Amino acid sequence: MPGGIAFDTRLRGRVNFFDALTVDWAHTWLQDGVLTVEAGLMIRACAPTLTPSHLTNFLRRPWQFPQSMAAKGKLLWRIFDGHRLDDHGEVDKVRASVSELLGLYALLRHYFATEVVDRPELVPHWRSFVACCRVLDLILAAKKKLVSPKRAASLLRERISRFMELHLACYGSEYVRPKHAWQWAIAEHWERDDEVWDALVIERLRLTVKTTALRLRSLVRMERTLLSGTLNAQISSLETLNGPCCLLDNRPMTMNGLPHTLFADSVQVW
């Protein structure tokens, strides 16, 4: 965006923005992101034949979910109940958490393919939505180690480009957000690390940034102020440690591209 770090071509010539920051796929796609926008547009395009009550009844069918998300899967219908609609009882946007969207997107895809009447005017919308889902399919396959992220990075770029072509052809640029541009950063990170990074570390860091941001009273040099405040908070937190840390796993892991880093399921800090 104009005024942001990535927009400054002089800075980009000296500092590789995508090397300095890691953009996680979950926030890009699922947390009010690319899929959220695309699903909302598809639902609105199907109106008035598709109503929130239709979607609610569809999601309340006796679907069988994996045990890991069985409880949340049975409550997906709440995404389209009255508490998450606009003042007119319509779906102005899909209000759902990351885990809810993971369960919802496959069912929405099935719904549009089987339940919605085949209308010629919806063909561009359907093609854009399917192209969006194909990008997410590849991300989830890489996350589950079914494909190598590094080897699939070029395919991810192709699918993102195809999706954006179809999205722009259907909707124009009206609904394009910064997160649509973040998609290409994910492909670069796949090539760099051969990993699909989730949101946990970034999400916790966001809370530190939020603490600093709440104290800001001026937007002048906002990025500089946020960065310095976050770094000072991290340094202060580290200085409170009274002893060494130790990993509690018997077999901590290493990852390609991070030779001096150990990963474990739990850590103890004295």
Side-chain angles (χ1 to χ4, degrees):
M1 298 181 68
I5 294 177
F7 194 81
D8 192 331
T9 55
R10 296 171 301 172
L11 182 60
R12 287 288 298 275
R14 300 175 59 186
V15 178
N16 190 321
F17 176 66
F18 295 141
D19 278 348
L21 299 177
T22 296
V23 178
D24 80 280
W25 71 274
H27 275 75
T28 301
W29 276 83
L30 305 175
Q31 190 64 49
D32 196 22
V34 176
L35 178 65
T36 313
V37 173
E38 198 67 24
L41 292 173
M42 185 66 191
I43 291 171
R44 290 203 293 272
C46 294
T49 58
L50 176 61
T51 65
S53 61
H54 287 130
L55 289 171
T56 299
N57 293 334
F58 175 78
L59 294 173
R60 296 188 79 164
R61 293 179 183 178
W63 301 104
Q64 298 297 315
F65 297 94
Q67 186 175 359
S68 60
M69 67 162 298
K72 289 186 177 181
K74 294 177 181 179
L75 298 176
L76 288 177
W77 61 271
R78 291 184 175 180
I79 297 174
F80 300 105
D81 71 1
H83 296 290
R84 303 197 196 182
L85 304 179
D86 64 11
D87 294 338
H88 305 288
E90 302 293 338
V91 182
D92 59 331
K93 63 182 295 187
V94 178
R95 295 177 173 85
S97 66
V98 168
S99 58
E100 287 176 328
L101 275 172
L102 280 176
L104 177 68
Y105 104 94
L107 287 176
L108 276 182
R109 191 173 179 177
H110 176 67
Y111 184 90
F112 294 140
T114 60
E115 300 288 333
V116 176
V117 177
D118 187 14
R119 290 156 41 188
E121 67 273 17
L122 291 179
V123 171
H125 304 79
W126 169 244
R127 288 178 177 172
S128 179
F129 179 77
V130 171
C132 177
C133 291
R134 291 191 73 232
V135 178
L136 188 55
D137 289 342
L138 182 58
I139 294 175
L140 292 176
K143 173 179 168 58
K144 296 174 183 177
K145 303 295 185 181
L146 299 178
V147 297
S148 164
K150 182 171 289 188
R151 294 178 180 177
S154 59
L155 178 59
L156 179 64
R157 289 192 182 94
E158 293 177 8
R159 291 194 179 186
I160 291 172
S161 297
R162 180 58 177 162
F163 159 57
M164 290 305 299
E165 288 174 2
L166 293 172
H167 176 90
L168 291 172
C170 181
Y171 302 106
S173 60
E174 180 179 357
Y175 302 102
V176 175
R177 299 181 178 181
K179 289 188 177 182
H180 284 84
W182 293 4
Q183 298 175 87
W184 280 275
I186 298 173
E188 292 202 22
H189 296 154
W190 283 15
E191 290 181 332
R192 182 190 70 189
D193 302 329
D194 199 24
E195 294 288 343
V196 181
W197 297 115
D198 284 340
L200 294 180
V201 173
I202 299 173
E203 183 71 11
R204 291 190 176 97
L205 182 59
R206 180 190 67 82
L207 299 177
T208 304
V209 175
K210 181 179 180 181
T211 302
T212 302
L214 290 175
R215 297 195 296 265
L216 292 181
R217 294 295 179 266
S218 173
L219 297 181
V220 178
R221 297 180 178 176
M222 184 185 73
E223 290 176 342
R224 174 179 171 181
T225 304
L226 277 178
L227 179 59
S228 62
T230 301
L231 289 175
N232 287 331
Q234 293 287 79
I235 293 172
S236 176
S237 178
L238 291 173
E239 289 176 344
T240 63
L241 300 180
N242 297 320
C245 305
C246 63
L247 301 177
L248 300 183
D249 287 5
N250 293 327
R251 292 179 295 178
M253 301 174 294
T254 59
M255 293 187 180
N256 294 334
L258 298 170
H260 305 296
T261 306
L262 295 177
F263 293 84
D265 289 333
S266 55
V267 61
Q268 191 171 50
V269 180
W270 296 103

